[in-house]
Amino acid sequence: MYIFPNKIKKIAIAFMIVGFFGLAYGFLSAPKTIEQSKAMIEANHGDHHSAEHDEDNLKSHGASTISEGSENHHNDELHSNLDTNLNNTEAHSEGHGDAHDKHVFHQLANKPWAAFYVSAFFFFMVSLGVLAFYAIQRASQAGWSPVLFRVMEGITAYMLPGGIIVLVILFLSSLHLNHLFIWMDPEVVAHDKLIAGKTGYLNAPFFLARAIFFLGGWSLYRFFSRKFSLAQDKASDISNHKKNFRISAAFLVFYIVTESIMSWDWIMSVDPHWFSTLFGWYVFASMFVSGITAIALITIYLKSNGYLEFVNDSHIHDLGKFMFGISIFWTYLWFSQFMLIWYSNIPEEVTYFISRIEDYNLPFFGMLVMNFIFPLLILMNSDYKRINYFIVMAGIVIILGHYMDVFNMIMPSAVGDKWFIGVPEIGGFLFFLGLFVFIVFKELTKAPLLTTGDPYVQESKNFHY
Amino acid sequence: MSSNRFIHALYDDDDTLLKAVKNIRSENYHIEEVYTPFPVHGLDKALGLEETRISIMAFIYGCLGLIIAVVMMNFIMIQDWPQNIGGKPSFSYLENMPAFVPIMFEMTVFFAAHLMVITFYLRSKLWPFKKAENPNPLTTDDKFLVEIELSDNEKGLTSLLKKSGAIEVSVIEKSE
């Protein structure tokens, strides 16, 4: 049995506390009203590049003095009231300045929410990726991986709580507490024929119902698979193993459909004017490779502390091969999506990449280096894949690279060019990292780290490549 | 002067062969060659053969293919005649790079694969009309053969091979 080391527990809790304060700071420092956001922007411009934006400042000053009177008595009300206020001023032909201020206000107000959402989704995605990998190992009757089943089951323990947090964020969005999903704003939908045409699919009740259904389905598989896996240890026949095989195969069918729809819902719909057909696969590749990397990192950690003496460097080698291969698979999908849109250059599709290349140049292409070129060169050598140091180094870069991937998927639509990897973003990452580590290591203590009843476990223990 | 007499031991099982090879090597005999009808897992380790470096060569060939693709397309599409073809930006290589990536990829794979195969043929001396070298045609079907150079201890070696499970031990003289 694994004992949760106190040191890790303390580090995880410290991460959560630091991350919580980082997120809280983000929420407290985000503007509550349009005036505050304008003041923040002006202060920023004054600080950094005053000459460049003098004209901008003048414009917003003008707009603010004109609309001040009409806005003051709305200050404490919801932003939908501000919207009506905006329409009133629009009628008075001061619409542009106000629309811009409102736009910037939404971006700044979205920042902590987006930081929260990106990290929440990222760590959820890691454990869902591990669940998919686990189901594939079960359904394909892999002979090498049964010694890693308990590590995978430990990681997938995070999926339900992590998924619930994501669900709560989605629910709060549908209550208009943030502006992450602009199609949830009835004011936007009313003036946007494109989104209005999608309301049959993109409406909050159906959206939340789908999310609950997906998370429910995945959690049911996770629950029963874990149950059968534990029961198999005590069983005298392999009926539990067979049951696990069957539900894993069924789960994979369910998963590939629901994962695809989930990626449209939770990620693609932050940008409801844009669509891509391979997006589901793209998100899948991202979660799959970060999930496999998480398995490798935790396996190496546990082994180096002497808990997995039956894991040899051939298992690490196989995980390294998966990290290498799926990293390339992810790049293939990233490039297929990028190149097809870049090549045809259809305006309604290409804006997605234009905003990313112009406002997110370093994160957008930096992520390509982290997720493709670095693992490609590091993990190509067969000998390096057996050395823990290389796997850990490549693994950390891959994990951070795929965090950047999710960051690049969410942020441009949520905060636009107001992005920064600052306190709320790092805080969000640390908070969920702490929570992830805490839940995963807690789950690892609940069962022996070696499945004893699995019919393939002997083969797996003797696995050599 | 090394002698031109060789001892040939025939085995009918790959497990026996592996054990025999380990035995022979632990007695400090030098194994000249082993002939098998199929790859025997672990035989190269038992023989103490050096690891192949063909994958390193493949990597270098791949880099070569990539460089050739880049230089070629940079010259043709950007330097020599930068036409406007359907509005693609042919001002610099980087600006138009996504359109070149499929070719860069394929050229990398093409060079890596083909030059690696050719390297393999050259290093293992394989080509059409090459005279086959197997000392016993049975080794292409179901028998395994170990060839050891013979000096003066023919008796000891024969008994060692017999003991290690050889079904037939014979002394061959090569005229070269």
Side-chain angles (χ1 to χ4, degrees):
Chain A
M1 289 293 261
Y2 178 64
I3 297 152
F4 197 161
N6 244 331
K7 213 173 94 189
I8 298 294
K9 199 183 268 176
K10 275 181 193 151
I11 290 172
I13 290 172
F15 274 2
M16 274 192 272
I17 293 169
V18 171
F20 178 80
F21 281 116
L23 276 174
Y25 169 78
F27 279 104
L28 291 177
S29 61
K32 304 287 172 296
T33 61
I34 290 181
E35 279 75 30
Q36 281 180 20
S37 106
K38 272 193 295 201
M40 279 171 70
I41 290 294
E42 277 162 30
N44 261 342
H45 281 188
D47 282 353
H48 298 300
H49 26 223
S50 50
E52 246 177 276
H53 289 277
D54 263 359
E55 210 182 55
D56 258 21
N57 281 344
L58 284 177
K59 243 193 260 165
S60 49
H61 272 304
S64 68
T65 43
I66 288 166
S67 57
E68 218 168 85
S70 61
E71 270 177 9
N72 267 342
H73 63 275
H74 285 297
N75 266 350
D76 47 354
E77 294 182 40
L78 281 176
H79 70 258
S80 54
N81 290 4
L82 291 172
D83 289 342
T84 39
N85 169 32
L86 168 76
N87 290 336
N88 294 339
T89 48
E90 247 173 14
H92 295 111
S93 84
E94 285 303 327
H96 181 72
D98 261 14
H100 173 76
D101 290 339
K102 182 169 168 257
H103 179 66
V104 171
F105 162 66
H106 276 317
Q107 289 185 333
L108 290 175
N110 264 346
K111 261 193 82 176
W113 282 100
F116 190 37
Y117 184 57
V118 167
S119 298
F121 180 80
F122 175 69
F123 283 96
F124 162 76
M125 166 179 113
V126 169
S127 62
L128 185 59
V130 173
L131 190 68
F133 189 71
Y134 174 77
I136 289 173
Q137 299 305 310
R138 288 248 178 229
S140 64
Q141 316 236 356
W144 68 278
S145 53
V147 295
L148 300 173
F149 277 171
R150 283 292 143 78
V151 178
M152 299 185 206
E153 286 165 10
I155 298 171
T156 55
Y158 177 78
M159 195 198 65
L160 185 58
I164 287 172
I165 294 173
V166 174
L167 271 189
V168 166
I169 298 175
L170 299 179
F171 183 67
L172 295 179
S173 296
S174 71
L175 292 180
H176 308 298
L177 287 178
N178 61 52
H179 218 250
L180 282 178
F181 300 89
I182 58 164
W183 57 265
M184 285 177 175
D185 187 341
E187 196 61 37
V188 169
V189 177
H191 292 93
D192 192 322
K193 271 194 179 161
L194 244 161
I195 301 180
K198 295 182 182 182
T199 46
Y201 184 77
L202 286 182
N203 60 76
F206 187 31
F207 176 81
L208 292 174
R210 279 198 303 269
I212 291 167
F213 172 68
F214 298 160
L215 188 64
W218 302 328
S219 305
L220 270 182
Y221 166 68
R222 200 276 163 186
F223 174 78
F224 280 109
S225 185
R226 170 79 165 175
K227 195 179 131 190
F228 293 146
S229 173
L230 292 178
Q232 181 62 52
D233 278 5
K234 298 185 182 102
S236 50
D237 57 0
I238 59 163
S239 61
N240 287 299
H241 173 79
K242 284 182 174 169
K243 277 186 217 159
N244 229 338
F245 169 74
R246 280 193 210 106
I247 62 168
S248 300
F251 165 76
L252 286 170
V253 176
F254 177 80
Y255 168 80
I256 204 59
V257 176
T258 51
E259 186 275 336
S260 198
I261 301 173
M262 177 273 278
S263 69
W264 309 336
D265 279 4
W266 298 4
I267 298 182
M268 205 155 79
S269 86
V270 296
D271 213 338
H273 286 174
W274 182 79
F275 38 84
S276 162
T277 42
L278 63 67
F279 199 74
W281 278 105
Y282 174 66
V283 175
F284 164 73
S286 196
M287 70 167 67
F288 203 49
V289 68
S290 35
I292 292 164
T293 308
I295 298 173
L297 291 180
I298 293 180
T299 304
I300 287 173
Y301 170 76
L302 290 174
K303 181 161 174 59
S304 64
N305 280 290
Y307 285 105
L308 300 172
E309 72 279 2
F310 35 84
V311 169
N312 55 47
D313 53 2
S314 294
H315 295 108
I316 306 296
H317 189 160
D318 263 26
L319 287 170
K321 276 188 281 190
F322 269 107
M323 282 160 62
F324 176 72
I326 310 295
S327 282
I328 291 170
F329 177 64
W330 173 89
T331 316
Y332 168 67
L333 294 178
W334 176 88
F335 183 71
S336 301
Q337 182 170 280
F338 173 72
M339 195 261 237
L340 284 183
I341 289 173
W342 173 87
Y343 207 102
S344 58
N345 204 18
I346 301 171
E348 70 244 37
E349 288 179 357
V350 86
T351 49
Y352 184 81
F353 286 113
I354 286 179
S355 63
R356 275 157 184 80
I357 291 174
E358 286 185 350
D359 298 336
Y360 288 74
N361 201 292
L362 182 65
F364 189 62
F365 292 108
M367 140 187 119
L368 203 60
V369 174
M370 293 167 84
N371 290 342
F372 174 58
I373 296 173
F374 188 77
L376 179 84
L377 295 177
I378 288 291
L379 294 177
M380 195 184 304
N381 191 320
S382 180
D383 296 329
Y384 290 178
K385 283 186 285 232
R386 301 175 159 267
I387 302 171
N388 289 347
Y389 168 72
F390 278 96
I391 298 286
V392 170
M393 183 169 60
I396 289 170
V397 172
I398 289 174
I399 289 279
L400 292 177
H402 283 281
Y403 171 81
M404 285 315 300
D405 187 16
V406 180
F407 187 88
N408 276 316
M409 288 195 272
I410 302 285
M411 285 292 176
S413 328
V415 306
D417 58 355
K418 301 290 179 293
W419 71 277
F420 188 69
I421 300 188
V423 175
E425 285 78 11
I426 294 170
F429 189 85
L430 287 183
F431 176 77
F432 284 101
L433 180 66
L435 188 67
F436 181 83
V437 167
F438 190 84
I439 291 175
V440 169
F441 282 82
K442 193 92 194 153
E443 182 79 1
L444 288 173
T445 62
K446 289 182 184 162
L449 287 177
L450 178 65
T451 55
T452 46
D454 195 284
Y456 292 103
V457 75
Q458 200 53 42
E459 179 184 341
S460 180
K461 275 160 96 175
N462 297 329
F463 172 68
H464 270 284
Y465 168 72
Chain B
M1 273 298 283
S2 68
S3 82
N4 54 0
R5 299 177 72 227
F6 294 90
I7 194 156
H8 280 183
L10 213 56
Y11 296 86
D12 60 354
D13 187 83
D14 48 345
D15 276 340
T16 327
L17 173 79
L18 269 180
K19 274 181 209 138
V21 165
K22 279 172 196 156
N23 244 335
I24 295 163
R25 270 173 54 85
S26 66
E27 300 284 326
N28 285 328
Y29 289 105
H30 175 68
I31 297 177
E32 204 67 29
E33 194 71 79
V34 177
Y35 296 88
T36 66
F38 53 78
V40 176
H41 187 74
L43 184 59
D44 51 343
K45 282 218 180 81
L47 283 168
L49 296 182
E50 243 181 80
E51 255 192 43
T52 173
R53 289 166 298 186
I54 200 156
S55 54
I56 298 169
M57 286 316 292
F59 180 77
I60 294 169
Y61 295 146
C63 294
L64 181 72
L66 182 66
I67 291 167
I68 288 174
V70 170
V71 169
M72 174 185 81
M73 286 185 293
N74 183 51
F75 176 71
I76 296 172
M77 303 301 290
I78 311 293
Q79 305 298 329
D80 190 37
W81 198 0
Q83 279 200 103
N84 181 345
I85 303 165
K88 284 278 159 289
S90 49
F91 307 108
S92 73
Y93 191 78
L94 203 61
E95 269 179 289
N96 210 359
M97 196 180 82
F100 301 144
V101 166
I103 297 151
M104 284 153 67
F105 171 76
E106 293 294 347
M107 291 276 277
T108 310
V109 174
F110 179 87
F111 272 71
H114 288 84
L115 292 184
M116 176 174 75
V117 167
I118 293 168
T119 307
F120 169 74
Y121 285 155
L122 291 177
R123 290 292 288 143
S124 49
K125 301 191 179 69
L126 279 176
W127 51 83
F129 312 113
K130 177 189 159 78
K131 200 173 170 296
E133 282 173 351
N134 45 332
N136 188 338
L138 284 175
T139 58
T140 63
D141 183 15
D142 64 346
K143 296 289 187 286
F144 307 82
L145 191 147
V146 176
E147 183 181 272
I148 303 168
E149 199 180 78
L150 211 51
S151 39
D152 47 356
N153 51 351
E154 186 182 329
K155 260 192 188 154
L157 189 50
T158 310
S159 71
L160 172 71
L161 291 172
K162 286 268 191 211
K163 236 197 291 172
S164 70
I167 53 169
E168 192 188 309
V169 179
S170 48
V171 175
I172 303 289
E173 287 206 26
K174 280 189 185 171
S175 48
E176 275 176 286

